[in-house]
Amino acid sequence: MTDTTSTPAMSDLERGYRRLIACYPRSFRKDNEEEILTVLLATAGEGQRRPSLAESADLLRGAIRMRMGLSRTPRTVLHAVRLMYLGAVSAVAVLIIVILTAGHIRAAVQTAMAAYHNPAATAQVMHGVNIALAMDQVLAPVVIILWLFMAWTNGKGYDWARVAAISLFGFSSVGMLADVVQNTATYAPAAMIGAGVEWVIGLAAVVLILRKQSWPYYVRHPATR
Amino acid sequence: MNTRPMQEATFLILTALAEGTQHGYGIINEVAEISGERVQLRAGTLYTALDRLRADRLIEVDREEIVDNRLRRYYRLTPEGGRRLAAEAARMQANATAALKRLNPALGVT
């Protein structure tokens, strides 16, 4: 191992390395700075005065990975977070489907109601359908924001975020069940398929955050952090 | 999750720790030796990998020492790390055996 303390050239090098290590998150630095420095100085070339381009690129890449939380996050949580972002995309898709097919949905319900020859009941049902469609469109941005918020907070490892994600999935499951019971698929097949895909994404994300590999991450990041 | 192939650097780091504890610089040297000098880990890559492996509970800190006023932290495989490495090695061996079995007749080797 090279002598790491005595020459002025080495102290310049050490300063250079420390500047690069400063790009890492503080928690990581606190735990690892001295150790990385030991390794960097040990692997430095004879007479090297400053970090090489390759070393700088390697350290900066590591710092970016750490800052993005790509390193300490278990793969199960990483996948769950990606799925949650995908859930937000699917919620946008469902909103677009609902807006585009609202006319078809109203027409389908109206046709079905025509068989009963009861204009008063038809008007009542149509009123209900209009309210349901309006609610879908008003609530969609909230749902999209919730997906994004869940992705962000679960990625951070907050334990309450995991509980919230599971609870929200529970609510959405009840909503899906209600849609199935009300035979929504008959009138709004495209929207139901979209909502079904969104539900499956939620299910997969919940399964992933409940997996054994995810637990230590949430335990290590208490809600009080 | 656990069945996906390991990255080569991860495989080599775990292999470097399979025989016993190693500190960071030791792991770099071991990895170079195991790979026939083909893989030269850099510090940034090594510590990103070590951080992930610790988070996944595949390795853990064995002990810390101060040598020449510098911190040396020794790492060791966890039982789970050993199992994962063994499973990955078996997977790679099975693939290599299958490839060689198919190649050998083509090359006229029995």
Side-chain angles (χ1 to χ4, degrees):
Chain A
M1 192 184 286
T2 323
D3 177 11
T4 56
T5 50
S6 54
T7 66
M10 199 49 100
S11 87
D12 277 351
L13 182 61
E14 180 171 336
R15 248 194 308 279
Y17 285 142
R18 281 197 191 274
R19 263 198 293 272
L20 286 163
I21 297 170
C23 300
Y24 281 79
R26 198 190 317 182
S27 59
F28 178 80
R29 278 206 314 271
K30 204 173 137 199
D31 199 29
N32 296 287
E33 176 162 4
E34 294 308 314
E35 196 191 347
I36 296 188
L37 197 65
T38 307
V39 171
L40 283 165
L41 293 171
T43 51
E46 200 68 39
Q48 187 177 335
R49 290 182 65 92
R50 58 176 63 92
S52 71
L53 201 62
E55 283 170 333
S56 306
D58 178 60
L59 287 168
L60 289 175
R61 197 169 46 226
I64 290 168
R65 284 181 68 86
M66 292 284 167
R67 292 230 169 247
M68 289 175 73
L70 293 179
S71 178
R72 274 186 186 270
T73 317
R75 285 187 201 286
T76 45
V77 178
L78 271 184
H79 288 307
V81 168
R82 285 181 192 140
L83 280 173
M84 287 172 190
Y85 283 121
L86 188 65
V89 173
S90 71
V92 173
V94 170
L95 173 62
I96 292 170
I97 291 169
V98 169
I99 292 170
L100 291 180
T101 60
H104 292 283
I105 296 169
R106 285 193 194 95
V109 176
Q110 199 129 37
T111 308
M113 287 305 293
Y116 296 102
H117 305 292
N118 185 342
T122 304
Q124 201 174 2
V125 169
M126 288 314 295
H127 183 63
V129 169
N130 284 332
I131 289 175
L133 286 170
M135 285 292 282
D136 275 350
Q137 291 173 39
V138 169
L139 287 179
V142 178
V143 172
I144 293 161
I145 289 167
L146 277 174
W147 273 115
L148 295 175
F149 185 62
M150 283 299 107
W152 182 60
T153 49
N154 275 278
K156 289 267 179 195
Y158 296 118
D159 205 30
W160 58 261
R162 182 161 67 157
V163 176
I166 294 163
S167 310
L168 287 169
F169 175 71
F171 290 132
S172 83
S173 300
V174 172
M176 274 295 285
L177 206 62
D179 279 344
V180 171
V181 170
Q182 287 168 9
N183 234 348
T184 308
T186 316
Y187 310 109
M192 271 305 281
I193 290 170
V197 169
E198 196 179 333
W199 183 81
V200 170
I201 291 170
L203 175 67
V206 164
V207 168
L208 282 168
I209 57 176
L210 282 174
R211 284 193 60 158
K212 190 178 71 182
Q213 297 94 320
S214 304
W215 286 84
Y217 184 66
Y218 285 100
V219 169
R220 200 172 40 218
H221 294 73
T224 49
R225 187 179 62 163
Chain B
M1 279 312 106
N2 289 348
T3 52
R4 59 180 273 159
M6 233 177 237
Q7 287 187 352
E8 190 184 21
T10 308
F11 179 81
L12 291 172
I13 291 170
L14 292 181
T15 304
L17 294 171
E19 266 188 346
T21 63
Q22 283 287 350
H23 54 80
Y25 184 58
I27 294 173
I28 290 179
N29 289 337
E30 280 286 313
V31 165
E33 193 189 318
I34 294 163
S35 66
E37 306 298 323
R38 189 174 51 80
V39 178
Q40 294 285 345
L41 283 182
R42 291 190 179 280
T45 309
L46 173 68
Y47 281 92
T48 309
L50 290 179
D51 194 58
R52 160 163 288 292
L53 291 170
R54 280 171 74 182
D56 288 344
R57 305 269 169 109
L58 300 185
I59 65 167
E60 60 196 2
V61 174
D62 182 70
R63 66 187 189 280
E64 291 178 354
E65 288 176 4
I66 304 290
V67 179
D68 297 334
N69 291 323
R70 296 275 175 206
L71 174 71
R72 246 185 214 182
R73 189 175 281 154
Y74 286 79
Y75 297 92
R76 64 165 177 248
L77 274 187
T78 61
E80 174 63 14
R83 276 193 291 275
R84 286 286 304 279
L85 178 62
E88 183 66 9
R91 190 190 66 79
M92 288 165 75
Q93 190 174 37
N95 282 353
T97 306
L100 291 171
K101 206 166 139 190
R102 286 168 184 235
L103 273 172
N104 284 349
L107 296 171
V109 184
T110 50

